[in-house]
Amino acid sequence: EAQVTQNPRYLITVTGKKLTVTCSQNMNHEYMSWYRQDPGLGLRQIYYSMNVEVTDKGDVPEGYKVSRKEKRNFPLILESPSPNQTSLYFCASSLEGVGSPLHFGNGTRLTVT
Amino acid sequence: GQQLNQSPQSMFIQEGEDVSMNCTSSSIFNTWLWYKQDPGEGPVLLIALYKAGELTSNGRLTAQFGITRKDSFLNISASIPSDVGIYFCAGGAQKLVFGQGTRLTINP
């Protein structure tokens, strides 16, 4: 089954403790992206990747890192999480980027205390 | 930067009613996408529009790419309980920009 898989689904952590949210897609998509969803703000892009070893900042990149060492994986790294990063995070992929529809994972709900 | 205004923010309707929502922008887009998000899940693509003026249907859903390329609407006919959720528009140019979402609630 074609899908985008994120782990974990739920994560509660404390301020400053490094964490990684994994994302993997099995559709051989070139483009991958991370979004955060907050009430009233919709989906805001954190980082995106057009291809392996190519990553770029989205609209809200501060406090986040990503890497794209393999085509299928695009982990999101929070080196020192803060409470304002409490949010619902989605990974998404598409065949070619903006012109192709995005396929979303099921989300990771992160709480930073 | 590019922004989308999606309206209404929420809708409370009776089962069987038709629904209409829209997105507008001051920017021109090359692609309009409509997604639905069910509770606890990621958004799922409903309809993709690639050409100004294009009108596309998917079952009871109909969406149009505005002639000016700055707007799009989504209509749902004869709503049913499983239509409940949050609907997002997204406009694509150099990047994909999402609207704030329309939360649809249906009274049976």
Side-chain angles (χ1 to χ4, degrees), chain B residues 46-65:
Chain B
L46 297 173
I47 293 179
L49 303 161
Y50 298 104
K51 188 176 176 182
E54 180 181 356
L55 183 71
T56 297
S57 293
N58 179 6
R60 293 177 295 106
L61 278 61
T62 302
Q64 184 160 30
F65 192 141

Side-chain angles (χ1 to χ4, degrees), chain A residues 9 31 35 37 40-43 45 58-59 88 90 98-107, chain B residues 31 33 35 37 40-45 48 50 86 88 92-96 98-101:
Chain A
R9 290 294 307 272
Y31 180 90
Y35 292 86
Q37 184 177 26
L41 297 176
L43 288 156
Q45 191 178 49
D59 296 315
L88 180 58
F90 288 102
V98 174
S100 308
L102 282 170
H103 298 258
F104 285 85
N106 278 334
Chain B
T31 307
L33 307 170
Y35 289 85
Q37 184 179 20
E41 298 185 11
V44 174
L45 182 69
Y50 298 104
I86 303 175
F88 290 99
Q94 284 77 27
K95 63 178 184 177
L96 199 61
F98 283 85
Q100 301 95 328

